[in-house]
Amino acid sequence: MATALITGGTSGIGLGFASRFAADGHDVVLVARDRSRLDRTAAGLHDRHGVRVETFSADLATPDGCAAVQAYLRTSTVDVLVNNAGHSLSQPYPRSPLADEEGMLDLLVRAPLRLTHAAIPGMTARGNGAILNIASVAGLVPAGTYGAAKAWLIHFSESLRLDLAPHGVRVLAVCPGFTETGAPRAESVPGWIWLSVDHVVDRAMRDLRRGKPRSVAGRHFRLYATAVHHAPRRLAARMARSRTPKG
């Protein structure tokens, strides 16, 4: 039985991964800011699946919040780390306040960097483990500071995957597109484009087993990812501005 730690594990894709690991009989550690929501989610997972569920209230956009979870990762046996916590901003750079931009980068870049650093020694010592970094197809195209942060997470994951493979640790960049996470839909996006959380999680778990570097759920998003990869950068930029999926 493994233990999976999921940041942002009380909603959306994070909750999807928590539910999947619990359903497979693994213990779960949920990290989020809202204590009451953490407790409700933990009770629900335990009641449905009978696994041990720990909760950790921390704001990963702050140094103290990161440090607390880092200490937990260094002293506990965590077999799977899912770096999922994150958000985008309602206004593009530079119209968003600089403090909001910095907070987003702290959550999307600094927190995964620090938590991964804390988790690796234990995983490599045991010769087994997995790190799933929830990025976005927005990281494949020029898409503002959100896309830039997700691009960093994709490249970080792919580099780390090569470094850790000899030690038995798998690393996967999960790149969802528009996903039904419970948040209001973007009205300009047709309904057929949206994916369920279960679809994203199913694909990620399959790609993790197969040793893939990236996981993109949905045939239309895989075609999109292929198109922007091969398109000239000028055309890719136009595609990004017209409609950029945000996982």
Side-chain angles (χ1 to χ4, degrees), residues 13 16-17 20 196-206 217:
I13 292 173
F17 276 105
R20 176 59 51 84
S196 70
V197 166
D198 285 345
H199 191 158
V200 173
V201 173
D202 286 345
R203 182 75 192 195
M205 297 305 288
R206 185 193 317 170

Side-chain angles (χ1 to χ4, degrees), residues 151-187:
W152 179 90
L153 194 56
I154 292 169
H155 290 289
F156 171 66
S157 302
E158 294 184 347
S159 175
L160 198 61
R161 172 178 171 267
L162 298 176
D163 294 338
L164 296 182
H167 303 282
V169 180
R170 296 168 292 167
V171 183
L172 178 69
V174 182
C175 303
F178 291 109
T179 306
E180 296 273 16
T181 61
R185 278 187 177 186
E187 295 182 359

Side-chain angles (χ1 to χ4, degrees), residues 2 36 183 187 228:
S36 61
E187 295 182 359
V228 298

Side-chain angles (χ1 to χ4, degrees), residues 5-242:
L5 186 147
I6 302 105
T7 68
T10 59
S11 64
I13 292 173
L15 178 57
F17 276 105
S19 299
R20 176 59 51 84
F21 284 114
D24 289 343
H26 303 306
D27 293 336
V28 172
V29 182
L30 301 175
V31 179
R33 292 179 299 174
D34 189 325
R35 166 54 64 187
S36 61
R37 191 169 190 175
L38 276 167
D39 291 342
R40 290 195 305 271
T41 304
L45 291 174
H46 174 74
D47 292 345
R48 283 195 300 274
H49 306 293
V51 298
R52 180 173 59 90
V53 183
E54 293 186 58
T55 60
F56 206 115
S57 178
D59 183 354
L60 295 177
T62 67
D64 288 346
C66 271
V69 181
Q70 285 175 266
Y72 180 92
L73 286 165
R74 292 191 187 106
T75 58
S76 305
T77 301
V78 172
D79 306 283
V80 181
L81 171 63
V82 182
N83 285 309
N84 166 76
H87 62 76
S88 59
L89 299 175
S90 59
Q91 295 293 323
Y93 183 87
R95 293 202 291 272
S96 292
L98 184 58
D100 291 349
E101 292 281 358
E102 291 180 327
M104 182 182 70
L105 290 177
D106 284 340
L107 195 54
L108 297 182
V109 175
R110 189 183 301 274
L113 177 74
R114 292 181 62 169
L115 300 192
T116 300
H117 190 273
I120 285 173
M123 291 182 180
T124 55
R126 294 187 296 274
N128 184 55
I131 299 166
L132 291 85
N133 291 319
I134 312 306
S136 171
V137 293
L140 305 177
V141 292
T145 48
Y146 176 84
K150 293 298 188 179
W152 179 90
L153 194 56
I154 292 169
H155 290 289
F156 171 66
S157 302
E158 294 184 347
S159 175
L160 198 61
R161 172 178 171 267
L162 298 176
D163 294 338
L164 296 182
H167 303 282
V169 180
R170 296 168 292 167
V171 183
L172 178 69
V174 182
C175 303
F178 291 109
T179 306
E180 296 273 16
T181 61
R185 278 187 177 186
E187 295 182 359
S188 61
V189 182
W192 64 268
I193 287 179
W194 294 82
L195 299 176
S196 70
V197 166
D198 285 345
H199 191 158
V200 173
V201 173
D202 286 345
R203 182 75 192 195
M205 297 305 288
R206 185 193 317 170
D207 289 338
L208 181 66
R209 290 192 299 270
R210 293 177 175 177
K212 300 283 188 179
R214 300 180 185 178
S215 178
V216 180
R219 181 176 178 82
H220 53 301
F221 286 121
R222 288 194 292 277
L223 290 172
Y224 177 88
T226 300
V228 298
H229 177 72
H230 292 288
R233 296 308 291 170
R234 182 182 301 177
L235 178 58
R238 290 178 182 173
M239 294 171 68
R241 291 191 183 96
S242 65

